Amino acid sequence: MRHTAKAISTVTSIAALLGSFALSIPVVSNAAEADDIAQGKKIAFDRKKGNCLACHYIEGGALPGNIGPPLIAMKGRFPDKSILRAQIWDSRVSNPNTLMPPFGPHEVMSKSEIDQVVEFIYSL
Amino acid sequence: MKKIAVIASAFCMLLTPLVSSAANPAQDLKDFRKHYTEMFPEIPLHDFVNGVYSVDKDSREQWEAFEEFPPYETYVEKGEELFNKPFKNGKTYASCFPKAEQGIKQNYPYFDKNRGEVVTLELAINECREANGEKPLKYKKGAIAHLSAYIAYKSRGKKGNVKIDSSPESMQWYARGKKHFYAKRGQLNMSCADCHYHNPGKKIRADILSPALGHTSHFPVFRNKWSQSSKSGDGMGTLQRRYGGCNSQVRAKPFKAQSKEYRALEYFHTYMSNGLTMNGPGIRK
């Protein structure tokens, strides 16, 4: 499964790359960013990956839990994206007794998956 | 060297109060209850035996409707038949459980001093079979859950009465169960306490979390989820079947039903509901 997911994301990013050749440079980064956000959303909502909806309200996600705070207005609360990433990578750093899984250290998601989830959450 | 000794003794000082507090079940029980009664001041203590329905008024009505024609009834009857059916040697379960008719579930699990082990009702059922030349049953569902349902049914109305023996061995079993309850585990790094002590009443996705106080009063249970494919049985399951499910949810490898680890957990977990009324079997989602 992991391999297929990886393969698909590689294919889509190559497709995005190829498609963007015909266009001007700035669009490349926007397209890549939009792609990361879309991909990050998928991973965040996937029960086997982020499963963030188990605990957080996120716009567009059905039946969210309410153990953690709603993930809204993230840029306001996390002006520094690296702090947001640190929270998602290993939430124990800010709260040693947190209920939130240590996604990075426990390898629930890969580095690049977490990067994409960060892009998505940051866009909320 | 000196430094190490100082550190070691400081460590011991730190450890002593921990150990002695781990060895005070009566105080633990008081604190445990207080935690929930303060968290839910509007819920009467005796209502915690209703699990998630004590904290979730919305689904309570639906559940009460289920109780009008309870799906566990046929399994209680099956359990009664099994209980009274003679083994090949002519004896029945009554030879091992002479007081089952009057209600015995409230006394399980207990610490057997001679063996130095905690004995659960399901373990005792299988030991009874083996003592009478019969093969043991599988532990999580099927006939063992029916027998246990019958015994639980006969014990309705009795108050939980688990005894923590003051012997060091018994305390060790208790401490092991307590540790299991509060320890983070699995890839998702969550403890029983994370869900059922710190967050009862909250939603994890669409599920509302039940308080651990009162968790054990109504087992075994009939679960809709367990009745939906023939592979997972007829819906009836034991407490330790549930332990396995909750361990798996956090991607921890479940222990075997009736392993020492789960018996220790059941010893602690059931003791925490002492004094509450037995109301098994129950119905859950």
Side-chain angles (χ1 to χ4, degrees), chain B residues 12 64-65 84 90 105 111 143 173 200 210 265 278 284:
Chain B
C12 285
E64 282 171 348
N84 294 316
K105 180 78 200 281
F111 181 73
W173 278 79
S210 55
L265 176 59
M278 308 305 289
R284 293 292 182 270

Side-chain angles (χ1 to χ4, degrees), chain B residues 11 29 36 75 80-81 83 88 112 117-118 126 136 152 168 183 199 204-205 207 209 214 222 266 268 271 279 282:
Chain B
F11 196 63
L29 173 66
Y36 294 99
Y75 304 112
E80 180 170 14
E81 261 168 49
F83 192 86
K88 286 195 265 336
D112 182 333
E117 286 194 24
V118 164
N126 263 348
N199 287 290
I204 186 152
R205 203 69 201 250
D207 288 321
L209 291 164
F222 174 90
E266 185 169 336
F268 165 79
Y271 177 71
N279 59 341

Side-chain angles (χ1 to χ4, degrees), chain A:
Chain A
M1 257 329 274
R2 242 202 192 147
H3 285 288
T4 357
K6 220 181 209 166
I8 290 170
S9 80
T10 319
V11 169
T12 46
S13 54
I14 289 174
L17 222 79
L18 286 179
S20 52
F21 266 115
L23 305 163
S24 58
I25 302 291
V27 183
V28 174
S29 75
N30 283 346
E33 204 181 291
D35 193 49
D36 272 346
I37 291 174
Q39 200 55 37
K41 179 174 181 175
K42 247 200 223 148
I43 299 164
F45 285 10
D46 184 339
R47 281 174 188 269
K48 299 218 162 73
K49 293 284 182 184
N51 199 16
C52 315
L53 290 168
C55 300
H56 297 280
Y57 166 85
I58 299 173
E59 198 186 344
L63 302 172
N66 60 2
I67 291 173
L71 300 181
I72 47 177
M74 296 314 287
K75 283 195 191 82
R77 282 190 291 157
F78 289 86
D80 182 348
K81 207 195 269 183
S82 71
I83 294 177
L84 178 63
R85 186 177 192 283
Q87 168 72 27
I88 298 171
W89 176 260
D90 188 355
S91 54
R92 295 172 301 186
V93 175
S94 65
N95 171 11
N97 293 318
T98 183
L99 197 78
M100 183 162 150
F103 290 104
H106 278 210
E107 297 178 11
V108 183
M109 297 185 279
S110 70
K111 274 200 174 79
S112 61
E113 285 171 334
I114 289 182
D115 286 336
Q116 289 173 320
V117 168
V118 171
E119 290 307 326
F120 166 59
I121 300 295
Y122 198 62
S123 76
L124 294 170

Side-chain angles (χ1 to χ4, degrees), chain B residues 49-64:
Chain B
V49 297
N50 297 320
V52 69
Y53 307 110
S54 64
V55 295
D56 178 18
K57 302 293 176 232
D58 288 347
S59 60
R60 185 163 181 139
E61 258 174 56
Q62 201 189 2
W63 168 69
E64 282 171 348

Side-chain angles (χ1 to χ4, degrees), chain B residues 69-140:
Chain B
F69 301 99
Y72 53 71
E73 215 157 48
T74 67
Y75 304 112
V76 169
E77 282 163 19
K78 268 194 180 172
E80 180 170 14
E81 261 168 49
L82 287 172
F83 192 86
N84 294 316
K85 190 174 155 210
F87 300 127
K88 286 195 265 336
N89 68 6
K91 291 203 223 165
T92 67
Y93 286 101
S95 63
C96 309
F97 305 101
K99 298 217 172 110
E101 279 283 322
Q102 290 102 287
I104 54 171
K105 180 78 200 281
Q106 70 280 3
N107 304 320
Y108 285 89
Y110 71 93
F111 181 73
D112 182 333
K113 277 186 209 157
N114 298 326
R115 296 163 57 178
E117 286 194 24
V118 164
V119 178
T120 62
L121 179 59
E122 286 80 12
L123 187 76
I125 289 173
N126 263 348
E127 289 181 344
C128 177
R129 292 180 62 83
E130 292 184 289
N132 286 289
E134 302 282 333
K135 281 203 190 117
L137 299 167
K138 288 213 162 144
Y139 273 122
K140 293 194 284 197

